Amino acid sequence: MEIQAIPPLPQAPAVEPPVLSESPSLLPPVFQNDSSAPKLITQGAEALLYRSTYLLPEIPCALKYRPSKPYRHPILDARLTKHRILSEARVLVKCRKEGVPVPAVYALDEKEGWLMVEWIEGEVVRIKLNEWLRNRKESGIQEGGEEHLKGLMRRIGSAVGRMHGIGIVHGDLTTSNLMLRLNGISIGDEATTDDRILDGEVVLIDFGLASQSTADEDRAVDLYVLERAFGSTHPRAEPLFSEVLDAYGQSFKGANIVLKKLEDVRMRGRKRSMLG
């Protein structure tokens, strides 16, 4: 008896992730008829970030929109979106009230899933720091001239210390979520390419994973994430991370306990790295 081979089962076609355009049709109806259509800046796993305007064309703002997720149950998706929009807005308002440098909240609609905040004119620390380090390398500078870098590190530590001091934990502290506001420095100004490239106020952004917590463990993890970000993205600047911690200690009274916790978190991180 002839044995016939069993044909392979048909494979489902690969599903390509949706490619999002800059069309305002992706946004809630309130923004679709805007005379100056919001411009898509970046797309994250949970939200889209647009540059738009608030009330007047000359007032720029950042529009964060959380579109519905088709893989979630509609009721659960609506609850999660509402919770995350309100949670982020509450954290930002508390930070602003207590003098922590964050964008101001302009408007929100938790049901439609959007949050409108102040547009920070400047650049993320990741880009400016890498530019500064690249300029030094191209100029052949190996030692000295680190005062500007130390100043930046200390401003970062001070900002994080003030945030932790009011009971807020960021949850995603990286140099991509720290901005340098251009205080009196115009984009394209020749001064921004030399020793002033690291000037500006440090502003904390993107509080989508933030929470209100006074746990020293949570604060230590925040610092550890930032330290790891420097180690992976800016290894040449990592030796000066002690400046961040020193300024953190001066801006937050409970820093000593947090820094001791940081040592424990580092040890756990090293063990995980060794075990793979």
Side-chain angles (χ1 to χ4, degrees), residues 87 136 178:
S87 176
R136 284 173 58 85
L178 298 168

Side-chain angles (χ1 to χ4, degrees), residues 133-186:
L133 292 170
R134 184 174 62 253
N135 289 346
R136 284 173 58 85
K137 184 177 181 180
E138 292 174 354
S139 302
I141 301 174
Q142 300 297 327
E143 297 180 359
E146 296 176 339
E147 294 78 10
H148 294 279
L149 177 55
K150 288 182 179 179
L152 172 64
M153 304 291 262
R154 296 192 68 83
R155 295 198 303 279
I156 292 173
S158 178
V160 175
R162 279 182 281 169
M163 177 185 68
H164 283 179
I166 64 169
I168 300 295
V169 172
H170 188 279
D172 190 21
L173 266 183
T174 67
T175 51
S176 293
N177 288 332
L178 298 168
M179 286 201 68
L180 279 175
R181 190 198 298 267
L182 296 174
N183 292 332
I185 305 174
S186 300

